[in-house]
Amino acid sequence: MSSGDRNARGARNTPTVWGNIPPRSPNFTGREELLDQLHRRLLVEKATAVLPHALHGMGGVGKSLLAVEYLYRKMTEYDVVWWISAERTAQISLSLVELAPRLGLTRGSDASSTVAAVLEALRIGKPYSNWLLVFDNAESPKAVQQFFPPGGHGNILITSRNPQWASAAKPLEVDVFRREESKQLLRLRGPEISDEDADRLAEALGDLPLAIEQVATWHAETGMLVDEYLRLLDEKRVDLLRGTAALDNQHPVIAAWNISLDQLETKNPAAYQLLQVCSFYAPEPIARALFARMPRGSIAPELDAALEDPIRLGQVIREIGRYSLARFNHRNNSLQMHRLVQAALLYRMTEEDRATMRRGAHLLLAANDPNDPNDINRWDRYGSLYPHVVVSEAVRSQESWVRNLVVNEVIYLLRWGDYTSGLELARTAYETWSETLGRDHPQTLLVARWLGFLLFTMGSYQEAADLNASVLDAYRRTMGHDAQDTIDALGNVAIDHRVRGDFAESLTLTESVHQQYLRMLGPDDPETLRAAHNLGVSLRLAGDFARARDVDEMTWNSYVTMYGQDHVDALRTWLGFILDIRELGEYSNALLYHQEIVERSAFLLGGDNPLTLSAFRHLATAQRLVGRHELALRTAEQTRDVLMRRYGPENPETQAAALELTVSLRQCGHVDRALTDGIEVWNQFTRLYGHEHPHTLTAAGSLANTYRVRGDAAAAQHICRAALRHLTTRLGDDHLSSLACRSSLASCHHDLGEPDAALELDTDAYQRARRMYGDDHPHVLAQAVNVAVDLRSVGRSEESDQLRDRTVERFKRRLGSRHPALRSAADLDRMVIDYTPMPL
């Protein structure tokens, strides 16, 4: 920390960034030694975990209260203090995304990109190096540690009931109160309580801080005599011990709350019923707005009346707070219950009561569904609903609109970027609804479609294909071949054909889907435009770039007219259009567009957004094609590194970036590294797609080029022969990938002293390329240079010179006089032709 940081902080009373910190308890008592220990450890340790004492291992010892008190006492010693509810990874992501703008970061369109940017900003200490993140109720070290900044000068504070944190962070064990601390808190709220009575109460409650606070509040509100309270406590404890052993050593505090709950149930049934409903939610903040929208159906008469009247609802919430049964946070207007209060409520309910109140919890959640998970402005709402959807087991609801909320949460998690949580929720819903509703039920099939897309996104291709095929079959049986749902499902199956390398079949299916939407909905319907975008993808993969350009340009213009040029769908189709014109040889224009879309996407969506990263990866290719090789290498390496960090080494996008990097490495003279990396990329492509997938074969062709440049033409020839045989079978003789591989094989023959064979192959490739792309396409010009080299090798020098001269002039007009290829053409150096696989 610099002296400037210290001086700036000394001039203020709070941190620059102070977020989501729960209210300070006005009755916090004792714990001075623990607070001192915590401060000393945070000064030394990177991460400190506040855990329950091993002898107790239970909730209610005041871990979170201790953390909150520490923050309020030491706030001026930090620049950033941020509180994170850490029971679920989705909530951690949401909290870190909320932190992004406070750090001066642009909020991206998905969680992962924004979270990565936040963690990186904290790591490098810009704009703030002295930060403290609090992960509250962090149960799983493995799940939570991925959200720790990888370095930096800040600190991490964890509160948890899980003793496993002791091996992952410096532990600080929190025990129950010392007896004097218990008596101090009791007398703080009830000065008239004698020392002897305070001692009896503390003994009965096992000095558990949460129970002591609750009893102190109860006594202050009711004035009940200590003897009477202890008698009731004994009765409730006996009832508990008769009823269940599942509560273990929580009996004292559960019994204490049952006394308060008895009183509340009698005095204010609506307040008691609201607590019952909330007992099915996550022990995390429940926005008061959740109760402001009337559910589609009755829950209980008293609660229904309170929900209909905002004034009465406010009175109900205040009554709950009077008995310390829940805390109301006025800063974020939310209600939060301790899990032990929830346990007490659940224990008291009959099976019928539980069914009624769980249904009420689900109805309130469904009433708050914005029903538009694709709208980024609705994501905060879905994020706040998500933990309660999961904990309340909304997937088991019998109400269709509750199930609709579950599907919308799946879509939100997908768009948000939390693929793991989305996959878990989608899989749970699919399995549950398959059993309760049947596999052919419309909502079962709907969530199955999203499950299939999540599986595809995460690279589980075979599982996605199997599921998509079964969904398509179900729709055809139940709704017919022409139903819109059936057509949508057919589009998903077309994607599976791309994954298998069946580009022709995928094109046939995608074109069929587009034509059906044109007939059903017209050319400008959003569903038709989505189908048109997918048609462009299939056309590119099949090598028909001219038609893909026409389709994409029309689709892009329609998107811009409908949504504006900054809409995600418009940007995605614009990227497709840029790829089309690039592959048609318009390298200079494509580079300008690539630069523009990278800047626009990064500004709108964030630098680590998948669309931004895809555009950045293709920018490296465009830079290489216009001859800016060193810049292309830097761009390719940066893209590969970001994708590696975000998705891991086995992700298809990471491997596509790694392939582009090997080409740039070779062209910049780093041949040995290009070879090592190229072998790994080819092996990874083989694992992802199989030996005969066009993408794998293209990676093999690139690897062969590296072998040849390195001087091992025999190895390159062996690879090229096999790759070309499979490529022509899969894609035909005229696909750019086949033509590039044919040229590579010809170069191998040339280097091995077989000029006649080289000339035959090069001439064939050259003539095919001319017919497909005209005389001025850069690939055609490169093929012409290689033919000229072959002509010189077989003694036909005059023909060679004439072809070279014509080609040099065409290169000047097409690529400019400074392109490196111009000198190679003039010197009759053989040209290495690489092909970049198109996205699936």
Side-chain angles (χ1 to χ4, degrees):
M1 180 176 64
S2 68
S3 60
D5 289 338
R6 287 194 295 268
N7 292 336
R9 192 167 58 252
R12 62 175 187 265
N13 296 321
T14 59
T16 302
V17 178
W18 172 264
N20 298 328
I21 317 301
R24 190 177 192 178
S25 172
N27 302 314
F28 188 87
T29 303
R31 305 298 202 183
E32 296 299 331
E33 183 179 343
L34 282 173
L35 288 166
D36 289 341
Q37 289 182 39
L38 178 57
H39 188 53
R40 288 196 300 270
R41 292 186 184 185
L42 284 173
L43 290 176
V44 177
E45 303 293 337
K46 175 65 182 173
T48 299
V50 180
L51 306 174
H53 192 278
L55 292 176
H56 294 88
M58 60 181 173
V61 294
K63 303 179 296 297
S64 298
L65 284 176
L66 181 73
V68 170
E69 181 66 19
Y70 172 80
L71 297 181
Y72 279 94
R73 291 192 185 191
K74 302 296 183 181
M75 66 169 70
T76 58
E77 299 194 17
Y78 297 96
D79 296 315
V80 175
V81 179
W82 200 257
W83 186 278
I84 300 166
S85 296
E87 288 203 70
R88 269 157 287 279
T89 57
Q91 294 306 103
I92 300 175
S93 295
L94 180 62
S95 184
L96 290 173
V97 168
E98 290 174 356
L99 176 57
R102 307 289 291 275
L103 300 180
L105 301 172
T106 301
R107 180 169 170 168
S109 68
D110 69 296
S112 298
S113 62
T114 309
V115 168
V118 168
L119 297 182
E120 178 63 11
L122 294 173
R123 184 188 70 81
I124 64 176
K126 292 184 179 181
Y128 307 109
S129 61
N130 189 38
W131 43 264
L132 175 61
L133 300 183
V134 184
F135 291 84
D136 186 44
N137 285 327
E139 291 309 297
S140 168
K142 181 178 179 181
V144 175
Q145 283 180 293
Q146 63 179 305
F147 296 100
F148 289 179
H153 297 289
N155 293 98
I156 294 167
L157 178 58
I158 304 120
T159 73
S160 180
R161 295 172 299 160
N162 187 349
Q164 292 179 0
W165 277 106
S167 61
K170 186 70 174 179
L172 176 67
E173 290 190 337
V174 180
D175 204 345
V176 295
F177 272 154
R178 296 195 302 269
R179 181 56 52 86
E180 277 307 312
E181 290 175 323
S182 297
K183 293 193 292 185
Q184 182 183 349
L185 179 55
L186 287 166
R187 287 196 297 266
L188 180 67
R189 298 299 307 276
E192 73 284 357
I193 299 178
S194 69
D195 186 79
E196 180 184 356
D197 283 344
D199 191 76
R200 293 164 60 203
L201 285 169
E203 177 70 24
L205 296 170
D207 291 300
L208 189 66
L210 202 60
I212 297 294
E213 182 182 8
Q214 198 279 326
V215 171
T217 302
W218 167 262
H219 180 80
E221 290 293 329
T222 66
M224 180 179 287
L225 296 176
V226 171
D227 285 341
E228 176 64 13
Y229 185 86
L230 289 173
R231 183 187 64 79
L232 289 173
L233 187 64
D234 283 339
E235 289 179 0
K236 293 299 177 185
R237 190 168 356 207
V238 169
D239 291 342
L240 285 170
L241 291 171
R242 286 173 178 168
T244 181
L247 297 175
D248 298 327
N249 53 5
Q250 310 291 349
H251 287 122
V253 67
I254 298 293
W257 266 311
N258 272 334
I259 296 173
S260 297
L261 291 170
D262 283 344
Q263 177 79 2
L264 186 66
E265 184 177 15
T266 302
K267 185 178 179 181
N268 194 327
Y272 180 72
Q273 291 162 3
L274 184 63
L275 282 178
Q276 286 182 306
V277 166
C278 291
S279 70
F280 290 98
Y281 291 148
E284 296 175 21
I286 306 167
R288 183 179 176 180
L290 184 71
F291 311 121
R293 295 172 176 82
M294 285 301 297
R296 303 183 188 183
S298 172
I299 302 173
E302 295 85 356
L303 180 56
D304 292 344
L307 293 174
E308 291 176 355
D309 184 350
I311 296 177
R312 188 171 177 183
L313 178 61
Q315 294 170 343
V316 162
I317 293 174
R318 283 194 296 274
E319 191 74 8
I320 290 171
R322 285 183 59 205
Y323 292 97
S324 289
L325 294 166
R327 292 181 180 273
F328 190 79
N329 188 339
H330 292 278
R331 186 181 296 116
N332 59 18
N333 211 22
S334 66
L335 191 72
Q336 187 165 3
M337 294 173 62
H338 195 280
R339 65 182 72 248
L340 293 182
V341 180
Q342 294 177 310
L345 283 157
L346 291 171
Y347 172 80
R348 292 165 60 88
M349 283 187 257
T350 65
E351 286 299 320
E352 183 179 356
D353 289 338
R354 291 179 185 176
T356 298
M357 293 306 169
R358 189 189 297 273
R359 175 178 177 272
H362 293 160
L363 292 177
L364 282 169
L365 291 172
N368 283 266
D369 183 1
N371 207 30
D372 191 1
N374 292 302
D375 184 352
I376 189 173
N377 297 312
R378 308 289 189 183
W379 288 355
D380 284 345
R381 176 86 66 80
Y382 281 113
S384 66
L385 293 177
Y386 166 71
H388 307 303
V389 167
V390 173
V391 173
S392 70
E393 297 182 317
V395 294
R396 301 190 179 279
S397 173
Q398 299 180 15
E399 312 287 349
S400 62
W401 47 85
V402 177
R403 294 193 294 268
N404 188 67
L405 168 63
V406 172
V407 174
N408 284 340
E409 285 286 348
V410 169
I411 300 171
Y412 150 73
L413 291 166
L414 172 65
R415 302 293 185 233
W416 177 252
D418 190 346
Y419 299 146
T420 302
S421 296
L423 181 68
E424 182 180 355
L425 181 58
R427 196 187 296 279
T428 301
Y430 176 64
E431 292 172 353
T432 302
W433 298 348
S434 294
E435 181 179 342
T436 58
L437 304 175
R439 290 191 179 273
D440 290 349
H441 189 278
Q443 286 183 304
T444 305
L445 294 174
L446 177 61
V447 80
R449 279 158 47 191
W450 288 107
L451 173 58
F453 194 76
L454 276 160
L455 290 167
F456 166 79
T457 302
M458 298 179 74
S460 298
Y461 294 136
Q462 189 56 55
E463 187 179 357
D466 292 342
L467 181 61
N468 289 337
S470 68
V471 169
L472 176 61
D473 178 67
Y475 275 130
R476 283 172 169 168
R477 283 187 287 101
T478 60
M479 297 187 176
H481 286 251
D482 296 328
Q484 183 173 333
D485 287 329
T486 306
I487 299 171
D488 280 342
L490 185 62
N492 289 345
V493 170
I495 296 175
D496 298 326
H497 280 284
R498 295 178 203 158
V499 172
R500 288 194 288 268
D502 298 331
F503 294 165
E505 179 63 19
S506 176
L507 176 58
T508 299
L509 293 176
T510 314
E511 195 146 31
S512 171
V513 168
H514 181 236
Q515 289 299 320
Q516 291 184 76
Y517 272 122
L518 282 172
R519 290 194 298 270
M520 290 173 55
L521 305 174
D524 295 325
D525 187 89
E527 292 299 318
T528 307
L529 294 178
R530 182 170 59 86
H533 170 84
N534 290 332
L535 176 58
V537 173
S538 291
L539 286 167
R540 269 192 303 281
L541 288 167
D544 193 347
F545 298 107
R547 189 173 165 217
R549 175 198 57 199
D550 295 341
V551 170
D552 286 332
E553 186 173 22
M554 185 180 303
T555 307
W556 176 40
N557 287 330
S558 296
Y559 270 134
V560 170
T561 301
M562 183 178 298
Y563 298 124
Q565 62 181 354
D566 292 341
H567 191 274
V568 172
D569 289 336
L571 289 171
R572 187 177 292 113
T573 302
W574 185 28
L575 178 58
F577 171 74
I578 297 169
L579 295 179
D580 299 332
I581 64 171
R582 189 190 78 195
E583 295 306 305
L584 287 170
E586 299 180 32
Y587 291 168
S588 297
N589 288 338
L591 177 60
L592 292 175
Y593 286 144
H594 273 303
Q595 292 169 335
E596 185 176 350
I597 195 172
V598 165
E599 293 173 0
R600 186 179 296 275
S601 182
F603 175 75
L604 294 170
L605 308 176
D608 285 353
N609 178 267
L611 179 57
T612 304
L613 290 173
S614 181
F616 203 51
R617 171 167 69 84
H618 290 295
L619 172 62
T621 305
Q623 290 167 338
R624 171 172 60 81
L625 291 174
V626 298
R628 301 175 67 179
H629 297 314
E630 292 293 340
L631 179 59
L633 175 59
R634 292 195 295 272
T635 303
E637 192 148 30
Q638 181 181 350
T639 308
R640 193 282 311 269
D641 290 347
V642 174
L643 285 164
M644 181 81 76
R645 185 187 73 236
R646 180 166 179 203
Y647 293 120
E650 298 183 358
N651 183 271
E653 276 293 303
T654 306
Q655 288 305 311
L659 176 59
E660 176 59 35
L661 177 58
T662 64
V663 178
S664 289
L665 285 168
R666 185 206 317 134
Q667 291 200 327
C668 290
H670 308 293
V671 181
D672 289 342
R673 185 183 164 197
L675 180 63
T676 301
D677 289 2
I679 292 171
E680 175 55 33
V681 169
W682 176 65
N683 286 329
Q684 186 63 46
F685 270 55
T686 301
R687 290 191 290 268
L688 280 170
Y689 304 113
H691 286 280
E692 297 181 13
H693 192 284
H695 283 15
T696 306
L697 299 171
T698 301
S702 179
L703 176 61
N705 287 336
T706 304
Y707 267 114
R708 189 186 69 80
V709 170
R710 194 170 181 268
D712 193 346
Q717 185 184 59
H718 176 73
I719 295 172
C720 283
R721 278 175 174 166
L724 182 60
R725 182 172 67 254
H726 293 303
L727 277 170
T728 53
T729 300
R730 284 295 188 99
L731 303 179
D733 289 311
D734 296 334
H735 194 283
L736 269 182
S737 185
S738 300
L739 294 174
C741 190
R742 191 181 302 274
S743 174
S744 297
L745 180 58
S747 294
C748 294
H749 283 293
H750 176 272
D751 288 5
L752 291 171
E754 302 166 355
D756 291 324
L759 177 60
E760 181 181 354
L761 283 168
D762 274 331
T763 302
D764 181 57
Y766 175 49
Q767 296 300 334
R768 289 180 182 277
R770 290 180 67 191
R771 288 196 299 271
M772 289 293 295
Y773 303 106
D775 288 332
D776 291 335
H777 192 289
H779 273 267
V780 176
L781 297 176
Q783 297 279 10
V785 171
N786 288 345
V787 171
V789 172
D790 297 331
L791 290 171
R792 175 70 60 89
S793 298
V794 297
R796 297 161 61 180
S797 298
E798 185 176 351
E799 293 177 69
S800 173
D801 290 343
Q802 291 175 352
L803 180 57
R804 178 196 61 188
D805 292 343
R806 292 197 306 269
T807 304
V808 167
E809 288 303 314
R810 291 182 185 278
F811 259 130
K812 285 182 182 179
R813 292 197 301 269
R814 189 67 169 177
L815 300 180
S817 59
R818 295 183 179 181
H819 197 287
L822 194 65
R823 175 173 295 180
S824 296
D827 294 343
L828 282 185
D829 294 331
R830 285 199 70 86
M831 291 198 170
V832 180
I833 301 175
D834 290 286
Y835 175 71
T836 301
M838 294 294 101
L840 296 174

